[in-house]
Amino acid sequence: LQYMQVLGPARVVASTDCGFATTGKSTVLTEDIVWLKLKSLAQGARLATERFLNIGGPAPTSVAYSPTGFRVTILGDARQAGLQLLQGELGRRAWSLDVVPMEAGVERCYDHLKHSIDTPVAIVAAGPEEAAFAEQVLALLARDQNISRRPHVLFAFGCARPGLEALGALPRAPEHASAAAEAVQRRMQAGMVFDKRQLAPSGVLASAPQPPPAEVDVVIVG
């Protein structure tokens, strides 16, 4: 429950992760301990439901979950004035921010990003050369099929072509950096807002069934 208060109920899943020592011939846990664990799980689920979710409500609720966070990797020289402005603005919006110079090389940048699997990553290129560099890194990530990753989205200043999100010119003023950072945040979090009200049944239970929407984010069967 404490984690739910900090992170939000949408991002916490309570689980024993087994915890019952079910391997063959194991005698680590006795039956009474197993039942106490199950009782504790049931109590915790009841408390969480009462405090955070009105799951049984027949009418729409006000529960709307905040978007998941994202991480940022900037490709370029951290000493550039425009990137310095941008770092401050993106740092306030992202869960983490790293600056990787092109001198590090494609392989090192790939090593830096290949374990970024928990949240979407915005790769922000300072210019056309950095964008081409980023595309090489993304090609390596695409070929690596050993692990499932959240999306990597490429943004770039000073160039516009298919496959990247154009941000215009490199910021020269704080307001320009703020606008660019806001554009990155808006794009990264556009599809990550979940509104529980969309799952609630109609307030008029006697009304005729409504046709399903043409597009949905979540389908629940049952």
Side-chain angles (χ1 to χ4, degrees), residues 63-110:
V63 179
Y65 301 142
S66 299
T68 303
F70 63 98
R71 304 186 189 280
V72 173
T73 294
I74 297 177
L75 299 179
D77 186 349
R79 297 168 295 182
Q80 284 182 269
L83 288 189
Q84 289 180 352
L85 290 171
L86 189 65
Q87 287 178 61
E89 291 293 336
L90 282 173
R92 286 193 282 273
R93 293 171 167 82
W95 278 4
S96 69
L97 185 146
D98 298 297
V99 181
V100 179
M102 288 181 57
E103 291 78 8
V106 171
E107 288 290 342
R108 183 177 172 187
C109 187
Y110 162 72

Coordinates of all heavy atoms in Angstrom, one line a residue, residues 63-110:
V63 N -11.1 7.7 -11.6 CA -9.8 7.2 -11.5 C -9.1 7.3 -12.9 O -9.5 6.6 -13.9 CB -9.7 5.7 -11.1 CG1 -8.3 5.2 -11.1 CG2 -10.3 5.7 -9.7
A64 N -8.2 8.2 -13.1 CA -7.4 8.4 -14.3 C -6.0 8.3 -14.0 O -5.5 9.1 -13.2 CB -7.8 9.7 -15.0
Y65 N -5.3 7.4 -14.6 CA -3.9 7.2 -14.2 C -3.0 8.1 -14.9 O -3.2 8.4 -16.1 CB -3.4 5.7 -14.5 CG -4.3 4.7 -13.8 CD1 -4.6 3.5 -14.4 CD2 -4.7 4.9 -12.5 CE1 -5.4 2.5 -13.8 CE2 -5.5 3.9 -11.8 CZ -5.8 2.8 -12.5 OH -6.5 1.8 -11.8
S66 N -1.9 8.6 -14.2 CA -0.9 9.5 -14.9 C -0.1 8.7 -15.9 O 0.1 7.5 -15.7 CB 0.0 10.1 -13.8 OG -0.8 10.8 -12.9
P67 N 0.4 9.3 -16.9 CA 1.2 8.6 -17.9 C 2.5 8.0 -17.3 O 3.1 8.6 -16.3 CB 1.6 9.7 -18.9 CG 0.6 10.8 -18.7 CD 0.3 10.8 -17.2
T68 N 3.0 6.9 -17.8 CA 4.2 6.4 -17.4 C 5.4 7.3 -17.8 O 5.3 8.1 -18.8 CB 4.4 5.0 -18.2 OG1 3.4 4.2 -17.9 CG2 5.7 4.3 -17.7
G69 N 6.4 7.3 -17.0 CA 7.6 8.2 -17.3 C 8.4 7.7 -18.5 O 8.1 6.6 -19.1
F70 N 9.4 8.5 -18.9 CA 10.2 8.1 -20.0 C 11.6 8.6 -19.7 O 11.9 9.4 -18.8 CB 9.8 8.7 -21.3 CG 9.8 10.2 -21.3 CD1 10.8 11.0 -21.9 CD2 8.7 11.0 -20.8 CE1 10.8 12.3 -21.9 CE2 8.7 12.4 -20.7 CZ 9.8 13.1 -21.3
R71 N 12.6 8.0 -20.4 CA 14.0 8.4 -20.2 C 14.5 9.1 -21.5 O 14.0 8.9 -22.5 CB 14.9 7.1 -19.9 CG 14.4 6.3 -18.7 CD 15.3 5.2 -18.3 NE 14.7 4.3 -17.3 CZ 14.7 4.6 -16.0 NH1 15.3 5.7 -15.6 NH2 14.2 3.8 -15.1
V72 N 15.6 9.9 -21.3 CA 16.1 10.6 -22.4 C 17.6 10.4 -22.5 O 18.3 10.4 -21.5 CB 15.9 12.2 -22.2 CG1 16.6 13.0 -23.3 CG2 14.4 12.5 -22.2
T73 N 18.0 10.2 -23.8 CA 19.5 10.1 -24.1 C 19.7 11.2 -25.2 O 19.1 11.1 -26.3 CB 19.9 8.8 -24.6 OG1 19.8 7.8 -23.5 CG2 21.3 8.8 -25.1
I74 N 20.5 12.2 -24.9 CA 20.9 13.2 -25.8 C 22.2 12.9 -26.5 O 23.2 12.5 -25.8 CB 21.0 14.6 -25.1 CG1 19.7 15.0 -24.5 CG2 21.5 15.7 -26.1 CD1 19.7 16.3 -23.7
L75 N 22.2 13.0 -27.8 CA 23.4 12.7 -28.6 C 24.0 14.0 -29.0 O 23.4 14.8 -29.8 CB 23.1 11.8 -29.8 CG 22.6 10.4 -29.5 CD1 22.3 9.7 -30.8 CD2 23.5 9.7 -28.6
G76 N 25.2 14.4 -28.5 CA 25.8 15.6 -28.9 C 26.8 16.1 -27.9 O 27.1 15.4 -26.9
D77 N 27.3 17.3 -28.1 CA 28.3 17.9 -27.2 C 27.6 18.6 -26.0 O 26.9 19.5 -26.2 CB 29.2 18.8 -27.9 CG 30.4 19.4 -27.1 OD1 30.3 19.2 -25.8 OD2 31.3 20.0 -27.6
A78 N 27.7 18.1 -24.8 CA 27.0 18.6 -23.7 C 27.4 20.1 -23.4 O 26.7 20.8 -22.7 CB 27.3 17.8 -22.4
R79 N 28.5 20.6 -24.0 CA 28.9 21.9 -23.7 C 28.2 22.9 -24.6 O 28.3 24.1 -24.4 CB 30.5 22.0 -23.9 CG 31.3 21.2 -22.9 CD 32.7 21.1 -23.3 NE 32.8 20.4 -24.6 CZ 34.0 20.1 -25.2 NH1 35.1 20.5 -24.6 NH2 34.1 19.4 -26.3
Q80 N 27.5 22.4 -25.7 CA 26.8 23.3 -26.6 C 25.7 24.1 -25.7 O 25.0 23.5 -24.9 CB 26.1 22.6 -27.7 CG 27.0 22.1 -28.8 CD 26.2 21.4 -29.9 OE1 26.0 20.2 -29.8 NE2 25.7 22.1 -30.8
A81 N 25.6 25.4 -26.0 CA 24.7 26.2 -25.2 C 23.3 25.7 -25.4 O 22.5 25.7 -24.4 CB 24.8 27.7 -25.7
G82 N 22.9 25.4 -26.6 CA 21.5 24.9 -26.8 C 21.2 23.6 -26.1 O 20.1 23.5 -25.5
L83 N 22.2 22.7 -26.0 CA 22.0 21.5 -25.3 C 22.0 21.7 -23.8 O 21.3 21.0 -23.1 CB 23.0 20.4 -25.7 CG 22.9 19.8 -27.1 CD1 23.9 18.7 -27.3 CD2 21.5 19.4 -27.4
Q84 N 22.7 22.7 -23.3 CA 22.7 23.0 -21.9 C 21.3 23.4 -21.5 O 20.8 23.1 -20.4 CB 23.8 24.0 -21.6 CG 25.2 23.4 -21.7 CD 26.2 24.5 -21.3 OE1 25.9 25.7 -21.2 NE2 27.5 24.1 -21.2
L85 N 20.7 24.3 -22.3 CA 19.4 24.8 -22.0 C 18.4 23.6 -22.1 O 17.5 23.5 -21.2 CB 18.9 25.8 -23.1 CG 19.6 27.2 -23.0 CD1 19.2 28.0 -24.2 CD2 19.2 27.9 -21.7
L86 N 18.5 22.7 -23.1 CA 17.6 21.6 -23.2 C 17.7 20.6 -22.1 O 16.7 20.0 -21.6 CB 17.9 20.9 -24.6 CG 16.9 19.9 -25.0 CD1 15.6 20.5 -25.3 CD2 17.4 19.1 -26.3
Q87 N 19.0 20.4 -21.6 CA 19.1 19.4 -20.5 C 18.3 19.8 -19.3 O 17.7 18.9 -18.6 CB 20.6 19.3 -20.1 CG 21.5 18.6 -21.1 CD 22.9 18.6 -20.7 OE1 23.3 18.1 -19.7 NE2 23.8 19.2 -21.5
G88 N 18.3 21.1 -18.9 CA 17.5 21.5 -17.8 C 16.1 21.3 -18.0 O 15.4 20.8 -17.0
E89 N 15.5 21.5 -19.1 CA 14.1 21.4 -19.4 C 13.7 19.9 -19.5 O 12.7 19.5 -18.9 CB 13.7 22.1 -20.7 CG 13.8 23.6 -20.6 CD 12.8 24.2 -19.7 OE1 11.7 23.6 -19.4 OE2 13.0 25.3 -19.2
L90 N 14.5 19.1 -20.1 CA 14.2 17.7 -20.2 C 14.4 17.0 -18.9 O 13.7 16.0 -18.6 CB 15.0 17.0 -21.3 CG 14.6 17.3 -22.8 CD1 15.6 16.7 -23.7 CD2 13.2 16.7 -23.0
G91 N 15.4 17.4 -18.1 CA 15.7 16.8 -16.9 C 14.5 16.9 -15.9 O 14.3 16.1 -15.0
R92 N 13.7 18.0 -16.0 CA 12.5 18.2 -15.2 C 11.4 17.3 -15.6 O 10.4 17.1 -14.8 CB 12.1 19.6 -15.2 CG 13.0 20.5 -14.4 CD 12.4 21.9 -14.1 NE 12.5 22.7 -15.3 CZ 13.5 23.5 -15.6 NH1 14.6 23.5 -14.8 NH2 13.6 24.3 -16.7
R93 N 11.4 16.8 -16.8 CA 10.3 16.0 -17.3 C 10.5 14.5 -17.4 O 9.6 13.7 -17.4 CB 9.9 16.6 -18.8 CG 9.4 18.0 -18.8 CD 9.3 18.5 -20.2 NE 8.5 19.7 -20.3 CZ 9.0 20.9 -20.1 NH1 10.2 21.1 -19.7 NH2 8.2 22.0 -20.2
A94 N 11.8 14.1 -17.5 CA 12.1 12.7 -17.7 C 12.5 12.1 -16.4 O 12.9 12.7 -15.5 CB 13.3 12.6 -18.8
W95 N 12.4 10.7 -16.4 CA 12.9 10.0 -15.3 C 14.4 10.0 -15.1 O 14.9 9.9 -14.0 CB 12.3 8.5 -15.4 CG 10.9 8.4 -14.9 CD1 10.1 9.4 -14.5 CD2 10.2 7.2 -14.8 NE1 8.9 8.9 -14.2 CE2 8.9 7.6 -14.4 CE3 10.4 5.9 -15.1 CZ2 7.9 6.6 -14.1 CZ3 9.4 4.9 -14.9 CH2 8.2 5.3 -14.4
S96 N 15.1 10.0 -16.3 CA 16.5 10.1 -16.2 C 17.0 10.7 -17.5 O 16.3 10.8 -18.5 CB 17.2 8.7 -16.1 OG 17.0 7.9 -17.3
L97 N 18.2 11.3 -17.5 CA 18.7 12.0 -18.7 C 20.2 11.7 -18.8 O 21.0 11.9 -17.8 CB 18.4 13.5 -18.6 CG 18.9 14.3 -19.9 CD1 17.9 15.4 -20.1 CD2 20.3 14.9 -19.7
D98 N 20.7 11.3 -19.9 CA 22.1 11.1 -20.2 C 22.5 11.8 -21.4 O 21.7 12.0 -22.4 CB 22.4 9.6 -20.3 CG 22.1 8.8 -19.1 OD1 22.7 9.1 -18.1 OD2 21.2 7.9 -19.2
V99 N 23.7 12.3 -21.5 CA 24.3 12.9 -22.7 C 25.5 12.0 -23.2 O 26.4 11.8 -22.4 CB 24.8 14.3 -22.4 CG1 25.3 15.0 -23.7 CG2 23.6 15.2 -21.9
V100 N 25.4 11.6 -24.4 CA 26.4 10.7 -25.0 C 27.0 11.4 -26.2 O 26.3 11.7 -27.2 CB 25.8 9.4 -25.4 CG1 26.9 8.5 -26.1 CG2 25.1 8.7 -24.2
P101 N 28.3 11.7 -26.2 CA 29.0 12.3 -27.3 C 29.2 11.3 -28.4 O 29.3 10.1 -28.2 CB 30.3 12.8 -26.7 CG 30.6 11.8 -25.6 CD 29.2 11.5 -25.0
M102 N 29.2 11.8 -29.7 CA 29.4 10.9 -30.8 C 30.8 10.2 -30.7 O 31.0 9.1 -31.3 CB 29.3 11.7 -32.1 CG 27.8 12.0 -32.4 SD 27.7 12.9 -34.0 CE 28.5 11.7 -35.1
E103 N 31.8 10.9 -30.1 CA 33.1 10.3 -30.0 C 33.1 9.0 -29.2 O 34.0 8.2 -29.4 CB 34.0 11.3 -29.2 CG 34.4 12.6 -30.0 CD 33.2 13.6 -30.0 OE1 32.2 13.4 -29.2 OE2 33.3 14.6 -30.7
A104 N 32.0 8.7 -28.5 CA 31.9 7.4 -27.8 C 31.8 6.3 -28.7 O 32.2 5.1 -28.4 CB 30.7 7.5 -26.8
G105 N 31.3 6.5 -29.9 CA 31.2 5.5 -30.9 C 29.8 4.8 -30.9 O 29.1 4.8 -29.9
V106 N 29.5 4.2 -32.0 CA 28.2 3.5 -32.2 C 28.0 2.4 -31.2 O 27.0 2.2 -30.5 CB 27.9 3.1 -33.6 CG1 26.7 2.2 -33.7 CG2 27.8 4.3 -34.5
E107 N 29.0 1.5 -31.1 CA 29.0 0.4 -30.2 C 28.8 0.7 -28.8 O 28.0 0.1 -28.0 CB 30.2 -0.5 -30.4 CG 30.3 -1.2 -31.7 CD 29.3 -2.4 -31.8 OE1 28.7 -2.8 -30.8 OE2 29.0 -2.8 -33.0
R108 N 29.5 1.8 -28.3 CA 29.4 2.2 -26.9 C 28.0 2.7 -26.6 O 27.4 2.5 -25.6 CB 30.4 3.2 -26.6 CG 30.4 3.6 -25.1 CD 31.6 4.5 -24.7 NE 31.4 5.1 -23.4 CZ 32.2 6.0 -22.9 NH1 33.2 6.5 -23.6 NH2 32.1 6.5 -21.7
C109 N 27.5 3.5 -27.6 CA 26.1 4.0 -27.4 C 25.1 2.9 -27.4 O 24.1 2.9 -26.6 CB 25.8 5.0 -28.5 SG 24.3 5.9 -28.3
Y110 N 25.3 1.9 -28.3 CA 24.4 0.8 -28.3 C 24.5 0.0 -26.9 O 23.4 -0.4 -26.4 CB 24.8 -0.2 -29.4 CG 24.3 -1.6 -29.3 CD1 22.9 -1.9 -29.5 CD2 25.1 -2.6 -28.9 CE1 22.5 -3.2 -29.3 CE2 24.7 -3.9 -28.8 CZ 23.3 -4.2 -29.0 OH 22.9 -5.5 -28.8

